[in-house]
Structures are given as C-alpha cells and as structure tokens.
Amino acid sequence: MSDIIKVHDLPGIEDYGKSISEFSKSYSAAVSDTERTFSLKKQNSELDALEAFYNKLNLLQEKVFHKVPEALEKYSKTNTVFSSTVKNAGFEVKAWTSESGRGTVTKTLTGDQTTAVSKVKSELQPALDTATQLLEIDSINLSPIQSKAEEELSTESTNRTNTHNAVDGAHRTFVQGLDETTETINRLQRDVNNAKSILRMPADFVMNSISHKVLTKDKMYYLDSMSNDVDASVVKDVLSESPGNIMKQRPEEISESAYNVLSAEVTDWVIRGKKGDKLAEKKLNHFVGAMGDEPTTKVDQFTTSMLQAGDREAWTLIANMKQNHAKNPNDPKIGRDQERLTNVNEFIGLMKSINLLDIGYGTEISELAHETYKIPTFKSTTTTKRMKNIDITNSGVTFSVSTNIKAFERKNVLDTVAVDQPIKDETTTETYRSGTMAGIGANLVYNKAKAAELQKAREDALEAFQEDVTVSVSKGIVNTILPGSVTVLELLQSFSGDDESKSEGLASLSDYNPSKKGSNALSAISNVAKAQFAFNSKVDQLQQEKLEQTQKSIGEYLKKGTWYLEGDKKTYTDSSIYYDFNATLRAEEMNDRGMLGYVETKVPEAAQSGLTPEQWIEKQIKNNEVKVDKQTKDYLMGQSDKNITDMNQGEINRLTNALDGIIGGNDSTGNRGVEKYILYLDEKYEYKEN
C-alpha cells in the first residue's frame, strides 16, 4: 500500500461536508411531520401481535427518522474536520505528503546537508585562519554560522515532520470516521429497505394476517427478513392462502433471511397439520403443488436453499439446547426445542424428498438418424413430476407423485415440412411417506445417486455460514444469517455481556448488535454448526457399513435417528440430515468420560468398597482377564482425545469387546456387557421434564 496522501480539492471536501449537513437537516425537517407513535394498551393474543407490529414500526421510525440523519451529520463532521485540519497545516487547495518522503527530507536536512555544512566549515576555517594572519586582521570564526545553519536545517526538518503528522493524523481520523460511518449507513440502509418493504405490504393484509393469527407476536421477525421487493412478495405469499405463488420468483433472488422465514413457516404447517389443521395442510399442498409447474433445475435450487435454511434453524436450536442443558438438564425449554427440532427434521426430510424425486419438469431432446434432411428431425421427451395429496400425520408426511411422460417425434415430410408426431403420453402414480425415526441406531438401504450434489451444496453453505458469522460479529449484522425466533433471541440474550443488557431484553433481531451483546452466541452457533455437520456425516457413513451379527455399529451406541423416504419400490434414508440432540449428548459423555458414568450409576458397590471408577475398571480387567489395548482402555477411562466418530469399525469392535469383558453378561436378561452400557445411556439421555 502506498504511504502517499494526496488531497486534490480541500474546499470541495469542506463544501461536500456542509452539503451533507444541510441535507441531514432538511431530511429531519421533512420526516418530522410524518413521524407517528403507535401504541396499544389492551392485551390478548391478537392485540399482542398488533402491539409487536406497532413496536416494530416505532423502532423502524427511530432508525429511519433519527439514526439516518445522525449518521449523515457525523459523516459531514468527518469531512469538515479533515478539511480544516489540513488547512491549518498550511494548505489551501491541494495537499501532498508521504511517510517515506518525510523521512527522506528529514534525513537530508539533518543528515546530508548538516554534514555538508560541517564539511564546508572544516575545510574553510583553516583557509580563513591563514588569510587573516597574513592580512593581520582579526580572525573569523565560522562556528556560529555553522550552528545557525544547522539550527535552521533542524527547524525545517521539524516543520516538515509537524506538517506530515498533522496531515497524516487528519487522514487517519478521516478514514476511521469514514469506515465507522460507512458501516453504520450500510446497516441503516438495510433498515431503510426493510421499512420500504413493509410499507409495500397492504395494511389490510397485515391486519388480516394478525387477526387470523397467521402473523403472531412470535412471528413478527418475518418482517425483519424483508430487504427488497422479492422478499416482501415471498413473505406476503407465505402468509397468504396461496403460498405456491412464491415459485414464480427466481430462487437466486430470494435472500437467505427470506428462506429462513419460508422454512420456519413450512415447519409450522407441519406442526399444525399434525394437530389436524386443514388450512395448514391446504397451504402445504398448494405450495408443493406449484413446484410441478416449474423446471426441475429451478425446484432443485429452491429446495436446496430451503434445506440449508432448515440446517441453520437446527444449528440454532441445538446451540440453545446445549446452553440450557448445561444449566439444567431438565429445563422444560429443552423439551420445547426438542419438539421443534423434531419437526424441523420433518421439514428438511420433505425438502430432500422433493429434491430426490425430481419434482418439476424437464425435457430431453435426441436427434433422429436422418442427417440428409434440410429440416432437423428429433425426438422430444418431457417428464413432469407432481407431488399431490399431501397428508401430515404424526408418523410422517404421506403423498403421491404423479409422473407424466410425454414424447413426440419431429419428422420431415418431403424435406420441406416438419410434422410433430406424438408417440407417448403416459402417467403413473406412486405413493410415498417421508418421515423420521428417532433412536434407531442403524440405516436402511441408501441411494446416493442425487444426494451427493445436495450434500456438497450443504457443505458449501456451512462454510459460507461460518464466514458470515465472522463478518456479523465485526459489523453488527445478524438477522441476515439466522432464523429469527424465540429460540434465537433467548440464545442471544443468554450470552449478553452484563445483567443490565439482559434485563433490557431484545424485542427483535433488529435490536441485536453482536459487537455489544452476546457475540459469543454467534460463535457458539458456528461451532455447533461445524460439529453437527461433521458428526452427522460421519455417523451416516459408519452406519452404512455392513456388520456381522455380533458387531455393534456406531449407531447402536449413539442411537442416532434418521430420515427416510419410503416408496412403493424403493426406500431411501439419510441420517446426515437428521439432527439428534440426544445422540450428541451420548457422544459427548462417551468421549469425555468413557464408562466412568456407568460405574458411578450402575455399580454402587464400587464406591462402597472404596474404589474409584477407574480402580473398579482396573480390577475388572484383571479379574475377568480382559484383553484390551491401551487406546481402548484410555477411552473407557475418559483419558483419550479420541472421539467415537473418529473410530473405524475395528476400533468400535475393540470397544465393544472391552465393554463385554469389563461389565460382564447378565443371565436374567441375556444382555451382554455392551448392551447394559447402552441401556445406561438410553436411561440417562431420555429427556424428562420436571
């Protein structure tokens, strides 16, 4: 980077600053007549939502009407202070300085030129002394002249340094102020765009959505997601009874935050559908049904983004559950979040089903073997798949998929006329169920054909998410990367820096500033995201390995559930898209404590005999003549850095054999030692509400 500072027009900078200040004042005057305060005193669920909407309007007004002119005024001051400081340094219109130039001048003045003066004096003084003696006149001493010259050279060097420092200091202050103001204005720009988007939504639609409990207090964050016309349309359509209209949008133009809203709302339809809500089921059918009218490539892009949004909510839920579990393992909020996570898994599975089944239409063109014809001849085959008759149940989502194959040949008549001849128009229907199985410990037959692309897209999304988190912490932006919900706000509040900030609470994500409150919350979510993705992928990989009857899989230890898609002909499964909090806890206990917790809980006689869990394990190994390698022994003692998800099947087999030998079998139940250990994990990590 160049160390040169150039200013081309100081008066122009000053005038620009004044113009910005005048604009800020005019802006404030213009909006003063528009500003209103919205308030509501009565309370019920509907009025609570209306009050939340009013609070949002008030908050937006505060930012748009007051924070914007404040930021502009600060920007104006940054310009005028810079201009006046540089002018005071001795410049009028243009200014130039550089650190290297300052150093060169200083070195020249106080070094080279001072040395030259000294040299001239030393060479001239003897000659003058000789001349004055011969002339018999008073001697001439050049030392005062030398001192005066050196003093003036030093003064000039100091002046050059002071001028540089003044300009450099002003420039540094200017750049810092500019960066700060730019960040502020960028945040406010989103708020302005958000306000514009809300205003584009018809007031009667918002009021109707509130009165019909579609837009509730807890869902008011939906409005935070809107930053452009596309997002506003998406939010409006998802709240309406015709959410399929969303498919008219280009998937790449929908923002991440809008996808967060979509995924949250579709998940809510699943929840309501399980409770018999026919409207929710109708909306889901309309939404998915519209996908059959779009190209498969577009539907794939859309469902991939939806699945990624589901990932983000799952990461946030698990981060919140871990935070609450650390404080109180039986906190009722864990049960609430687990229920939500279960339904998020259902939603993710449904999106994957749509993606895997190639819902939408696609056309294949193949040339016919008549190359001599002037008019091209070809065969066209269009395959259209539609998802219909969606039924939401507690055991999953059932639906039918109709597949229509329509083909024609374009033939050549007398080498002059093209004629389209239909050759096929056939429709078949297959019934499917998309669901989840918790704690199954194993996978079914899995087809990886199309899933690899989706998995890669999710991996890329994870990397982007982590980068976004880093930027968010530094710039104070959060609601673009996280699904806004009660859970998110709770998590952010739990990491707030002091009691005062906690007591203030957060009305919405737009109130949250990571640089001041709870930046650790974002880091926690990022860490959970990375860990969960790696955990799910590894378990899925290991659960697919074929095992002997006596072997135990990683799935049997962790009892991690899976998503499945069961059709008339095939069954697909994928545990990598299934988020299992209890499996995470089981893995953490095994990795941190091995079998120490088992001994403390299930072998009370060990403590009564004065043995520590470690001593009891050592005694069992010796008494039962258990053959166990050091790595496995360290793991069982809670003294290993090894994670169970890092183990290959051979290492898991050695772990199983060691547990069998150390714990021993039970004649009454027929359980082996490893099975008693797994039962202990089952009992401990079954959620129980106080």
Side-chain angles (χ1 to χ4, degrees):
M1 181 181 292
S2 174
D3 66 342
I4 299 173
I5 301 171
K6 292 182 180 180
V7 182
H8 298 280
D9 188 358
L10 280 170
I13 294 174
E14 186 176 17
D15 291 343
Y16 182 63
K18 291 178 181 178
S19 298
I20 294 294
S21 179
E22 290 300 318
F23 175 78
S24 173
K25 294 174 182 176
S26 300
Y27 179 95
S28 298
V31 301
S32 62
D33 294 335
T34 307
E35 187 173 12
R36 300 288 185 273
T37 300
F38 302 92
S39 61
L40 200 64
K41 295 183 179 180
K42 297 181 180 180
Q43 288 189 333
N44 61 40
S45 60
E46 180 181 333
L47 295 180
D48 283 349
L50 189 58
E51 185 179 29
F53 179 65
Y54 284 169
N55 289 339
K56 183 167 296 298
L57 294 181
N58 290 332
L59 181 64
L60 281 172
Q61 282 193 143
E62 169 66 20
K63 291 179 177 180
V64 175
F65 291 176
H66 298 287
K67 297 298 182 183
V68 169
E70 286 177 11
L72 292 174
E73 191 64 39
K74 184 178 179 180
Y75 179 55
S76 166
K77 188 176 180 180
T78 300
N79 281 268
T80 54
V81 168
F82 174 75
S83 176
S84 62
T85 303
V86 176
K87 280 187 174 182
N88 290 336
F91 300 93
E92 293 296 330
V93 178
K94 297 183 179 182
W96 181 99
T97 188
S98 74
E99 178 65 30
S100 58
R102 181 202 64 78
T104 300
V105 170
T106 299
K107 182 182 178 182
T108 300
L109 293 174
T110 62
D112 296 345
Q113 291 195 15
T114 299
T115 301
V117 169
S118 179
K119 183 179 180 182
V120 170
K121 184 258 184 184
S122 63
E123 291 176 349
L124 184 60
Q125 188 67 58
L128 283 174
D129 290 342
T130 301
T132 55
Q133 290 176 5
L134 291 172
L135 295 171
E136 297 181 351
I137 60 176
D138 293 338
S139 62
I140 301 173
N141 187 2
L142 295 178
S143 294
I145 299 173
Q146 177 190 0
S147 298
K148 181 65 174 177
E150 289 177 349
E151 181 183 343
E152 290 179 353
L153 288 171
S154 178
T155 299
E156 287 300 316
S157 174
T158 301
N159 290 340
R160 176 66 179 88
T161 298
N162 290 340
T163 300
H164 171 80
N165 290 342
V167 176
D168 183 64
H171 181 259
R172 290 176 185 274
T173 302
F174 177 75
V175 171
Q176 182 182 353
L178 188 62
D179 287 344
E180 292 174 354
T181 304
T182 299
E183 288 183 10
T184 301
I185 290 176
N186 284 340
R187 287 199 299 271
L188 289 171
Q189 180 62 58
R190 191 182 190 289
D191 293 323
V192 171
N193 291 338
N194 181 222
K196 289 165 61 179
S197 299
I198 292 176
L199 291 174
R200 289 191 183 97
M201 298 184 72
D204 58 344
F205 175 82
V206 175
M207 294 298 118
N208 285 335
S209 298
I210 292 174
S211 65
H212 289 90
K213 297 181 174 57
V214 176
L215 183 61
T216 62
K217 178 182 179 181
D218 291 341
K219 292 182 179 181
M220 204 56 61
Y221 75 87
Y222 284 12
L223 303 183
D224 290 336
S225 71
M226 303 185 307
S227 57
N228 52 52
D229 289 347
V230 173
D231 286 351
S233 295
V234 167
V235 173
K236 180 177 179 295
D237 288 337
V238 79
L239 292 174
S240 74
E241 293 187 15
S242 304
N245 293 338
I246 292 169
M247 295 307 302
K248 297 176 183 176
Q249 305 292 342
R250 295 169 60 89
E252 66 273 15
E253 293 181 354
I254 302 174
S255 70
E256 236 179 43
S257 49
Y259 275 118
N260 290 337
V261 168
L262 276 174
S263 69
E265 185 65 13
V266 177
T267 301
D268 278 352
W269 297 344
V270 173
I271 295 171
R272 288 158 47 196
K274 290 180 179 180
K275 298 176 181 178
D277 189 327
K278 295 301 181 184
L279 178 59
E281 200 169 83
K282 178 182 176 183
K283 293 179 73 168
L284 184 58
N285 272 279
H286 189 276
F287 179 60
V288 175
M291 296 181 184
D293 297 324
E294 302 296 333
T296 300
T297 52
K298 180 179 179 180
V299 177
D300 285 351
Q301 187 179 356
F302 183 82
T303 52
T304 298
S305 296
M306 291 284 281
L307 196 152
Q308 291 165 350
D311 283 335
R312 290 191 290 272
E313 182 169 4
W315 299 334
T316 305
L317 284 164
I318 290 179
N320 202 53
M321 292 165 78
K322 286 176 70 71
Q323 180 78 358
N324 289 328
H325 189 272
K327 298 175 183 176
N328 176 14
N330 293 315
D331 189 334
K333 291 179 182 176
I334 301 174
R336 178 204 64 189
D337 292 345
Q338 178 58 64
E339 182 180 1
R340 177 73 185 183
L341 184 61
T342 298
N343 288 292
V344 169
N345 282 328
E346 295 275 15
F347 159 76
I348 291 175
L350 180 61
M351 292 301 106
K352 173 133 186 180
S353 299
I354 297 169
N355 191 284
L356 195 64
L357 293 170
D358 289 326
I359 300 301
Y361 67 83
T363 300
E364 292 184 5
I365 305 292
S366 57
E367 291 186 7
L368 298 178
H370 300 294
E371 300 176 357
T372 59
Y373 291 154
K374 294 179 181 179
I375 299 177
T377 59
F378 59 86
K379 178 181 177 181
S380 174
T381 304
T382 299
T383 302
T384 303
K385 290 188 174 183
R386 300 180 182 275
M387 186 178 289
K388 302 177 179 179
N389 305 319
I390 297 175
D391 184 24
I392 307 170
T393 70
N394 288 320
S395 58
V397 180
T398 63
F399 53 86
S400 63
V401 174
S402 68
T403 302
N404 175 260
I405 300 177
K406 186 176 292 185
F408 68 88
E409 288 185 353
R410 178 159 293 179
K411 294 188 174 182
N412 194 306
V413 180
L414 300 176
D415 201 20
T416 58
V417 180
V419 177
D420 293 343
Q421 179 180 345
I423 57 175
K424 189 175 184 179
D425 190 351
E426 182 179 285
T427 301
T428 58
T429 301
E430 189 172 358
T431 302
Y432 291 89
R433 178 188 299 277
S434 171
T436 58
M437 294 183 286
I440 64 164
N443 260 348
L444 306 172
V445 179
Y446 180 65
N447 187 321
K448 291 186 175 180
K450 190 175 180 180
E453 296 180 12
L454 188 58
Q455 185 73 355
K456 179 62 168 62
R458 293 175 67 218
E459 290 174 359
D460 294 342
L462 170 64
E463 293 181 7
F465 176 82
Q466 291 184 294
E467 292 176 2
D468 286 344
V469 165
T470 303
V471 173
S472 297
V473 172
S474 63
K475 296 192 178 291
I477 303 170
V478 64
N479 54 336
T480 59
I481 63 167
L482 289 181
S485 67
V486 173
T487 299
V488 177
L489 293 177
E490 285 178 356
L491 182 63
L492 297 176
Q493 287 173 328
S494 71
F495 280 97
S496 293
D498 54 44
D499 293 335
E500 182 181 353
S501 63
K502 288 182 183 179
S503 64
E504 291 174 359
L506 299 170
S508 72
L509 286 177
S510 55
D511 296 333
Y512 176 71
N513 187 337
S515 63
K516 297 180 179 179
K517 295 181 178 180
S519 59
N520 289 337
L522 288 178
S523 298
I525 297 171
S526 179
N527 292 336
V528 163
K530 183 178 180 181
Q532 282 292 310
F533 199 94
F535 178 77
N536 285 357
S537 298
K538 187 65 176 180
V539 174
D540 181 64
Q541 176 187 339
L542 292 174
Q543 285 186 170
Q544 293 174 49
E545 295 187 6
K546 294 182 178 180
L547 305 176
E548 301 293 334
Q549 191 172 1
T550 58
Q551 293 179 321
K552 294 291 181 185
S553 72
I554 188 173
E556 290 179 278
Y557 280 105
L558 303 183
K559 294 294 179 69
K560 186 179 182 302
T562 190
W563 161 82
Y564 69 90
L565 176 63
E566 185 179 25
D568 298 337
K569 302 175 183 178
K570 296 180 181 178
T571 297
Y572 306 88
T573 69
D574 187 352
S575 65
S576 73
I577 63 169
Y578 183 93
Y579 291 92
D580 194 326
F581 179 64
N582 284 345
T584 303
L585 295 179
R586 294 165 78 102
E588 288 180 354
E589 161 138 350
M590 292 184 70
N591 296 334
D592 294 341
R593 306 204 69 212
M595 62 177 298
L596 301 183
Y598 172 86
V599 178
E600 292 168 350
T601 305
K602 297 297 183 179
V603 195
E605 62 269 18
Q608 293 173 9
S609 302
L611 298 176
T612 65
E614 292 87 350
Q615 290 170 334
W616 184 87
I617 294 171
E618 289 280 11
K619 180 182 176 183
Q620 290 293 104
I621 291 174
K622 182 179 179 181
N623 292 346
N624 297 348
E625 298 180 348
V626 181
K627 294 181 180 180
V628 56
D629 62 284
K630 186 178 185 305
Q631 178 182 295
T632 304
K633 181 180 176 181
D634 287 346
Y635 186 83
L636 292 174
M637 292 285 195
Q639 299 172 359
S640 173
D641 294 330
K642 192 91 170 180
N643 292 332
I644 189 170
T645 50
D646 297 330
M647 296 182 184
N648 57 40
Q649 190 57 51
E651 291 170 318
I652 293 172
N653 292 342
R654 288 193 287 275
L655 175 66
T656 300
N657 294 334
L659 286 168
D660 276 339
I662 295 171
I663 298 175
N666 188 317
D667 293 336
S668 63
T669 63
N671 287 334
R672 296 184 293 156
V674 65
E675 288 157 352
K676 291 195 289 185
Y677 176 76
I678 290 173
L679 283 172
Y680 153 75
L681 294 175
D682 292 346
E683 293 171 2
K684 184 171 182 178
Y685 294 107
E686 179 184 0
Y687 174 79
K688 298 176 182 177
E689 187 174 328
N690 285 333

